[in-house]
Amino acid sequence: MSTTRPTDAPSFRSRIGRDARSGYPAVPHRYRLHLSPSGPSCLRIAVTHSLLALEDVLPMTLLPAVPDAPDGGHLALRPLYQASSHRHPGPAVAPVLADSWTGRIVSTHAPDILQDMGRLFDTGGRQLYPAGTDARIEAIGRLCEEGINAAAQRAGRAGGDQAERDTALATLLRALGALERRLSAAEYLLGVEPTAADVQLWVTLVQLDTVHRWHLDAAAVYRLTDHPHLWAYARRLAAHPAFAPHLDLDGIARRHHAQCRGEEAAGAAVRIVDWAGHVPDRGTGAVRAAKHARRDRARLDGRTGTGRRGEANVGQ
Protein backbone atom coordinates (compact mmCIF):
# COMPACT_ATOMS: atom_id res chain seq x y z
CA MET A 1 0.00 0.00 0.00
CA SER A 2 1.38 3.39 -0.92
CA THR A 3 -0.03 6.86 -0.96
CA THR A 4 1.08 10.06 -2.56
CA ARG A 5 2.42 12.37 0.10
CA PRO A 6 2.91 15.98 -0.97
CA THR A 7 5.42 16.56 1.81
CA ASP A 8 6.89 14.62 4.70
CA ALA A 9 8.60 17.49 6.51
CA PRO A 10 7.08 20.67 7.92
CA SER A 11 7.82 23.78 5.90
CA PHE A 12 7.39 26.18 8.83
CA ARG A 13 8.13 25.46 12.45
CA SER A 14 7.95 28.53 14.65
CA ARG A 15 6.35 28.26 18.08
CA ILE A 16 3.80 30.15 20.12
CA GLY A 17 5.63 31.65 23.10
CA ARG A 18 4.70 32.60 26.62
CA ASP A 19 5.33 36.34 26.24
CA ALA A 20 6.01 39.12 23.70
CA ARG A 21 9.73 38.33 23.58
CA SER A 22 8.97 35.09 21.72
CA GLY A 23 7.69 36.93 18.65
CA TYR A 24 4.49 34.87 18.71
CA PRO A 25 2.91 35.37 22.15
CA ALA A 26 -0.27 33.47 22.99
CA VAL A 27 -2.66 36.34 22.28
CA PRO A 28 -6.36 35.47 21.90
CA HIS A 29 -7.83 36.00 18.42
CA ARG A 30 -4.42 36.67 16.83
CA TYR A 31 -3.97 33.24 15.22
CA ARG A 32 -6.09 31.03 12.98
CA LEU A 33 -6.01 27.32 12.25
CA HIS A 34 -6.54 26.04 8.72
CA LEU A 35 -7.49 22.37 8.81
CA SER A 36 -8.76 19.55 6.64
CA PRO A 37 -9.97 16.98 9.22
CA SER A 38 -10.09 14.19 6.63
CA GLY A 39 -6.34 13.92 7.31
CA PRO A 40 -5.14 12.44 10.61
CA SER A 41 -2.95 15.35 11.75
CA CYS A 42 -5.71 17.87 11.12
CA LEU A 43 -8.26 15.61 12.81
CA ARG A 44 -6.08 15.46 15.94
CA ILE A 45 -5.79 19.25 16.00
CA ALA A 46 -9.54 19.76 15.43
CA VAL A 47 -10.49 17.39 18.28
CA THR A 48 -7.91 18.99 20.57
CA HIS A 49 -9.26 22.42 19.69
CA SER A 50 -12.75 21.32 20.77
CA LEU A 51 -11.62 19.51 23.92
CA LEU A 52 -9.85 22.69 25.04
CA ALA A 53 -12.85 24.87 24.09
CA LEU A 54 -10.66 27.23 22.07
CA GLU A 55 -13.38 28.27 19.63
CA ASP A 56 -13.48 31.84 20.97
CA VAL A 57 -9.70 32.14 21.36
CA LEU A 58 -8.27 30.48 18.27
CA PRO A 59 -10.56 30.57 15.19
CA MET A 60 -10.53 27.66 12.77
CA THR A 61 -11.10 27.52 9.01
CA LEU A 62 -12.05 24.20 7.41
CA LEU A 63 -10.56 23.24 4.05
CA PRO A 64 -11.82 20.75 1.44
CA ALA A 65 -11.44 17.10 2.37
CA VAL A 66 -9.44 16.42 -0.79
CA PRO A 67 -6.71 18.96 -1.63
CA ASP A 68 -7.75 20.87 -4.72
CA ALA A 69 -4.43 22.08 -6.14
CA PRO A 70 -2.67 20.06 -8.88
CA ASP A 71 0.41 19.59 -6.67
CA GLY A 72 -1.58 18.04 -3.82
CA GLY A 73 -1.97 21.21 -1.77
CA HIS A 74 -4.87 23.53 -1.00
CA LEU A 75 -5.50 26.50 -3.27
CA ALA A 76 -6.88 28.53 -0.36
CA LEU A 77 -3.55 28.22 1.48
CA ARG A 78 -1.34 29.32 -1.41
CA PRO A 79 -1.45 33.06 -0.51
CA LEU A 80 -0.35 32.28 3.06
CA TYR A 81 2.52 30.14 1.82
CA GLN A 82 3.63 32.75 -0.70
CA ALA A 83 3.49 35.53 1.90
CA SER A 84 5.55 33.42 4.28
CA SER A 85 8.10 32.13 1.75
CA HIS A 86 8.43 33.92 -1.58
CA ARG A 87 7.98 31.45 -4.43
CA HIS A 88 7.48 28.63 -2.00
CA PRO A 89 8.39 25.54 -4.04
CA GLY A 90 6.17 22.93 -2.41
CA PRO A 91 2.44 22.33 -2.09
CA ALA A 92 0.35 24.43 0.30
CA VAL A 93 -0.60 21.69 2.74
CA ALA A 94 -2.57 21.63 5.97
CA PRO A 95 -2.40 21.91 8.93
CA VAL A 96 -1.47 25.58 9.10
CA LEU A 97 -1.32 27.83 12.15
CA ALA A 98 -1.33 31.36 10.76
CA ASP A 99 -0.72 34.77 12.32
CA SER A 100 -3.54 37.11 11.28
CA TRP A 101 -1.54 40.18 12.34
CA THR A 102 1.27 39.54 9.85
CA GLY A 103 -0.56 37.36 7.35
CA ARG A 104 2.15 34.73 7.64
CA ILE A 105 2.42 31.12 8.72
CA VAL A 106 3.63 30.34 12.22
CA SER A 107 3.77 26.56 11.89
CA THR A 108 2.75 23.61 9.76
CA HIS A 109 4.16 21.08 12.24
CA ALA A 110 1.24 19.29 13.90
CA PRO A 111 3.02 18.10 17.09
CA ASP A 112 4.19 21.64 17.88
CA ILE A 113 0.75 23.10 17.15
CA LEU A 114 -0.89 20.53 19.43
CA GLN A 115 1.45 21.20 22.32
CA ASP A 116 1.22 24.98 22.00
CA MET A 117 -2.58 24.83 21.94
CA GLY A 118 -2.66 22.70 25.06
CA ARG A 119 -0.05 24.51 27.10
CA LEU A 120 0.01 28.18 26.19
CA PHE A 121 -3.55 29.34 25.56
CA ASP A 122 -6.07 29.92 28.33
CA THR A 123 -8.11 26.72 28.35
CA GLY A 124 -10.10 27.36 31.51
CA GLY A 125 -8.18 24.72 33.42
CA ARG A 126 -8.59 21.94 30.87
CA GLN A 127 -5.43 19.83 30.66
CA LEU A 128 -4.51 17.51 27.80
CA TYR A 129 -0.88 17.36 28.96
CA PRO A 130 -1.23 16.89 32.74
CA ALA A 131 1.90 17.35 34.83
CA GLY A 132 4.09 14.28 34.86
CA THR A 133 2.51 12.60 31.83
CA ASP A 134 4.82 13.76 29.03
CA ALA A 135 6.85 10.56 28.84
CA ARG A 136 3.74 8.37 28.83
CA ILE A 137 2.04 10.49 26.19
CA GLU A 138 5.16 10.25 24.01
CA ALA A 139 5.32 6.47 24.53
CA ILE A 140 1.70 6.05 23.44
CA GLY A 141 2.42 8.29 20.45
CA ARG A 142 5.28 6.01 19.39
CA LEU A 143 3.05 2.97 19.83
CA CYS A 144 0.41 4.58 17.61
CA GLU A 145 2.86 5.61 14.90
CA GLU A 146 5.15 2.58 14.85
CA GLY A 147 3.08 -0.22 16.31
CA ILE A 148 -0.19 0.62 14.54
CA ASN A 149 0.13 3.02 11.59
CA ALA A 150 3.47 1.88 10.20
CA ALA A 151 2.80 -1.78 10.96
CA ALA A 152 -0.63 -1.66 9.31
CA GLN A 153 0.86 -0.11 6.18
CA ARG A 154 3.49 -2.85 5.95
CA ALA A 155 0.93 -5.57 6.65
CA GLY A 156 -1.28 -4.30 3.84
CA ARG A 157 1.43 -3.70 1.24
CA ALA A 158 0.65 -5.55 -1.96
CA GLY A 159 3.35 -7.80 -3.35
CA GLY A 160 6.63 -8.28 -1.57
CA ASP A 161 7.43 -10.89 1.01
CA GLN A 162 4.61 -12.67 2.85
CA ALA A 163 6.85 -13.18 5.88
CA GLU A 164 7.35 -9.41 6.14
CA ARG A 165 3.59 -8.85 6.04
CA ASP A 166 3.07 -11.51 8.70
CA THR A 167 5.70 -9.91 10.92
CA ALA A 168 4.04 -6.52 10.49
CA LEU A 169 0.64 -7.95 11.36
CA ALA A 170 2.11 -9.53 14.50
CA THR A 171 3.55 -6.15 15.47
CA LEU A 172 0.16 -4.52 14.92
CA LEU A 173 -1.65 -7.14 17.02
CA ARG A 174 0.86 -6.77 19.86
CA ALA A 175 0.27 -3.02 19.93
CA LEU A 176 -3.50 -3.47 19.96
CA GLY A 177 -3.17 -6.13 22.66
CA ALA A 178 -1.17 -3.80 24.90
CA LEU A 179 -3.81 -1.10 24.53
CA GLU A 180 -6.61 -3.61 25.09
CA ARG A 181 -5.08 -4.63 28.42
CA ARG A 182 -4.70 -1.02 29.49
CA LEU A 183 -8.28 -0.10 28.56
CA SER A 184 -9.78 -3.19 30.19
CA ALA A 185 -9.24 -1.48 33.53
CA ALA A 186 -9.56 2.22 32.68
CA GLU A 187 -11.92 4.51 30.81
CA TYR A 188 -9.06 6.56 29.34
CA LEU A 189 -5.38 5.87 28.80
CA LEU A 190 -3.91 8.05 31.54
CA GLY A 191 -6.65 8.78 34.04
CA VAL A 192 -10.27 9.75 34.40
CA GLU A 193 -10.26 12.42 31.69
CA PRO A 194 -9.10 12.31 28.05
CA THR A 195 -5.57 13.53 27.37
CA ALA A 196 -3.51 14.12 24.25
CA ALA A 197 -2.77 10.38 24.27
CA ASP A 198 -6.47 9.55 23.89
CA VAL A 199 -6.83 11.98 20.99
CA GLN A 200 -3.91 10.40 19.15
CA LEU A 201 -5.06 6.83 19.80
CA TRP A 202 -8.61 7.56 18.70
CA VAL A 203 -7.46 9.16 15.45
CA THR A 204 -5.13 6.20 14.91
CA LEU A 205 -8.01 3.75 15.35
CA VAL A 206 -10.15 5.76 12.93
CA GLN A 207 -7.33 5.53 10.38
CA LEU A 208 -6.88 1.82 11.01
CA ASP A 209 -10.54 1.08 10.31
CA THR A 210 -11.30 3.63 7.58
CA VAL A 211 -8.00 3.53 5.65
CA HIS A 212 -5.59 0.69 6.48
CA ARG A 213 -8.33 -1.96 6.73
CA TRP A 214 -8.98 -1.63 3.00
CA HIS A 215 -5.60 -3.20 2.27
CA LEU A 216 -5.67 -6.10 4.74
CA ASP A 217 -7.14 -9.53 4.12
CA ALA A 218 -10.35 -10.47 5.86
CA ALA A 219 -8.70 -12.90 8.30
CA ALA A 220 -6.37 -10.15 9.49
CA VAL A 221 -9.24 -7.71 10.00
CA TYR A 222 -11.19 -10.25 12.05
CA ARG A 223 -8.13 -10.57 14.30
CA LEU A 224 -8.11 -6.80 14.72
CA THR A 225 -11.72 -6.88 15.94
CA ASP A 226 -10.82 -9.23 18.77
CA HIS A 227 -10.03 -6.36 21.17
CA PRO A 228 -13.44 -5.51 22.66
CA HIS A 229 -12.37 -2.90 25.21
CA LEU A 230 -10.30 -1.04 22.64
CA TRP A 231 -13.08 -0.77 20.07
CA ALA A 232 -15.70 0.03 22.73
CA TYR A 233 -13.40 2.90 23.75
CA ALA A 234 -13.20 4.04 20.11
CA ARG A 235 -16.99 4.02 19.79
CA ARG A 236 -17.43 5.85 23.08
CA LEU A 237 -15.11 8.65 21.99
CA ALA A 238 -16.82 8.80 18.60
CA ALA A 239 -19.96 9.90 20.47
CA HIS A 240 -18.10 12.50 22.55
CA PRO A 241 -19.15 16.07 21.62
CA ALA A 242 -15.53 17.14 21.09
CA PHE A 243 -14.78 14.23 18.75
CA ALA A 244 -17.97 13.58 16.80
CA PRO A 245 -18.32 16.86 14.86
CA HIS A 246 -14.92 16.43 13.22
CA LEU A 247 -15.34 12.85 12.01
CA ASP A 248 -15.92 13.33 8.27
CA LEU A 249 -16.29 9.74 7.07
CA ASP A 250 -17.11 10.71 3.51
CA GLY A 251 -14.15 13.09 3.42
CA ILE A 252 -11.77 10.44 4.75
CA ALA A 253 -12.97 7.98 2.11
CA ARG A 254 -12.66 10.49 -0.72
CA ARG A 255 -9.19 11.58 0.40
CA HIS A 256 -8.05 7.97 0.72
CA HIS A 257 -9.28 6.96 -2.72
CA ALA A 258 -7.83 10.12 -4.29
CA GLN A 259 -4.37 9.58 -2.83
CA CYS A 260 -3.98 5.84 -2.38
CA ARG A 261 -2.09 3.74 -4.92
CA GLY A 262 -2.45 0.42 -3.12
CA GLU A 263 -4.63 -2.55 -4.00
CA GLU A 264 -7.94 -3.12 -2.24
CA ALA A 265 -8.11 -6.41 -0.33
CA ALA A 266 -10.87 -8.56 1.15
CA GLY A 267 -10.66 -6.73 4.47
CA ALA A 268 -12.38 -3.77 2.82
CA ALA A 269 -15.66 -5.64 3.24
CA VAL A 270 -15.17 -6.31 6.98
CA ARG A 271 -16.18 -3.20 8.90
CA ILE A 272 -14.82 -2.97 12.46
CA VAL A 273 -16.83 0.00 13.78
CA ASP A 274 -20.04 1.52 12.49
CA TRP A 275 -18.63 5.02 12.96
CA ALA A 276 -21.65 6.76 11.47
CA GLY A 277 -23.92 4.95 13.91
CA HIS A 278 -21.94 6.24 16.89
CA VAL A 279 -21.72 9.89 15.91
CA PRO A 280 -24.49 11.92 17.59
CA ASP A 281 -26.67 14.02 15.35
CA ARG A 282 -29.65 16.35 15.86
CA GLY A 283 -31.49 14.99 18.82
CA THR A 284 -30.96 11.28 18.23
CA GLY A 285 -27.28 11.14 19.13
CA ALA A 286 -27.68 10.92 22.90
CA VAL A 287 -30.21 8.09 22.63
CA ARG A 288 -28.04 6.22 20.13
CA ALA A 289 -24.87 6.73 22.17
CA ALA A 290 -26.60 5.44 25.33
CA LYS A 291 -27.87 2.40 23.45
CA HIS A 292 -24.41 1.56 22.14
CA ALA A 293 -22.85 2.14 25.56
CA ARG A 294 -25.27 -0.34 27.13
CA ARG A 295 -24.58 -2.85 24.39
CA ASP A 296 -20.81 -2.42 24.79
CA ARG A 297 -21.03 -2.96 28.54
CA ALA A 298 -23.20 -6.04 28.05
CA ARG A 299 -20.63 -7.51 25.69
CA LEU A 300 -17.76 -6.82 28.04
CA ASP A 301 -19.64 -8.34 30.98
CA GLY A 302 -20.42 -11.45 28.98
CA ARG A 303 -24.17 -10.94 29.01
CA THR A 304 -24.55 -11.34 25.26
CA GLY A 305 -24.01 -14.69 23.69
CA THR A 306 -24.09 -13.92 19.98
CA GLY A 307 -21.62 -12.65 17.46
CA ARG A 308 -17.88 -12.09 17.62
CA ARG A 309 -16.39 -9.74 20.14
CA GLY A 310 -15.77 -6.09 19.27
CA GLU A 311 -18.07 -4.90 16.50
CA ALA A 312 -18.03 -8.26 14.93
CA ASN A 313 -21.35 -8.88 13.84
CA VAL A 314 -19.20 -6.86 11.51
CA GLY A 315 -22.00 -5.66 9.29
CA GLN A 316 -23.45 -3.30 11.94
Side-chain angles (χ1 to χ4, degrees):
M1 170 174 49
S2 63
T3 58
T4 57
R5 295 178 63 88
T7 183
D8 290 314
S11 299
F12 304 93
R13 198 171 173 180
S14 296
R15 301 295 296 269
I16 302 295
R18 294 187 181 277
D19 55 46
R21 291 173 296 178
S22 69
Y24 291 109
V27 177
H29 315 297
R30 174 171 175 174
Y31 306 99
R32 178 174 288 274
L33 289 166
H34 299 263
L35 305 176
S36 176
S38 60
S41 293
C42 289
L43 181 56
R44 281 178 66 193
I45 293 172
V47 171
T48 299
H49 184 265
S50 291
L51 278 172
L52 295 173
L54 291 174
E55 292 83 358
D56 295 331
V57 175
L58 179 62
M60 180 170 65
T61 294
L62 295 181
L63 300 164
V66 180
D68 51 359
D71 60 1
H74 290 276
L75 292 174
L77 294 179
R78 177 53 58 183
L80 274 173
Y81 271 79
Q82 293 293 357
S84 306
S85 174
H86 183 56
R87 295 184 178 177
H88 180 77
V93 297
V96 164
L97 175 65
D99 179 6
S100 60
W101 289 6
T102 65
R104 298 192 174 200
I105 294 172
V106 177
S107 181
T108 57
H109 187 54
D112 289 350
I113 295 171
L114 286 160
Q115 290 199 19
D116 290 350
M117 286 169 57
R119 290 179 166 154
L120 298 176
F121 287 100
D122 181 3
T123 62
R126 302 171 187 87
Q127 290 286 331
L128 293 189
Y129 295 89
T133 63
D134 284 9
R136 286 181 288 168
I137 289 173
E138 290 174 6
I140 290 168
R142 288 192 297 273
L143 186 66
C144 289
E145 289 301 322
E146 300 167 13
I148 301 179
N149 280 331
Q153 287 202 26
R154 294 195 304 274
R157 188 170 292 136
D161 185 64
Q162 182 62 46
E164 291 181 1
R165 293 197 296 274
D166 291 343
T167 298
L169 179 61
T171 298
L172 172 58
L173 291 170
R174 280 196 301 274
L176 297 182
L179 293 162
E180 170 73 10
R181 289 188 293 275
R182 182 187 291 261
L183 290 167
S184 68
E187 187 174 3
Y188 298 107
L189 290 170
L190 300 179
V192 297
E193 297 290 340
T195 66
D198 295 288
V199 177
Q200 182 163 6
L201 175 56
W202 183 76
V203 170
T204 300
L205 294 175
V206 169
Q207 285 290 111
L208 180 60
D209 190 22
T210 62
V211 174
H212 300 311
R213 168 177 61 82
W214 288 75
H215 305 282
L216 298 170
D217 63 45
V221 176
Y222 275 113
R223 294 179 72 184
L224 301 187
T225 69
D226 199 26
H227 300 85
H229 296 92
L230 181 63
W231 293 111
Y233 160 90
R235 290 191 294 270
R236 188 171 67 250
L237 289 183
H240 190 291
F243 289 72
H246 305 295
L247 184 55
D248 179 5
L249 297 169
D250 176 68
I252 292 172
R254 288 189 291 114
R255 186 186 186 99
H256 175 218
H257 291 300
Q259 296 184 344
C260 184
R261 300 295 177 264
E263 296 180 6
E264 185 175 308
V270 185
R271 182 174 56 189
I272 301 175
V273 172
D274 176 15
W275 297 100
H278 291 82
V279 176
D281 60 4
R282 292 181 186 168
T284 63
V287 174
R288 185 187 296 121
K291 179 186 72 174
H292 287 303
R294 288 193 298 271
R295 186 181 63 190
D296 293 342
R297 179 53 55 194
R299 280 185 176 135
L300 298 182
D301 290 345
R303 291 195 292 268
T304 57
T306 58
R308 294 174 56 89
R309 291 187 291 170
E311 187 90 350
N313 295 325
V314 186
Q316 291 180 21

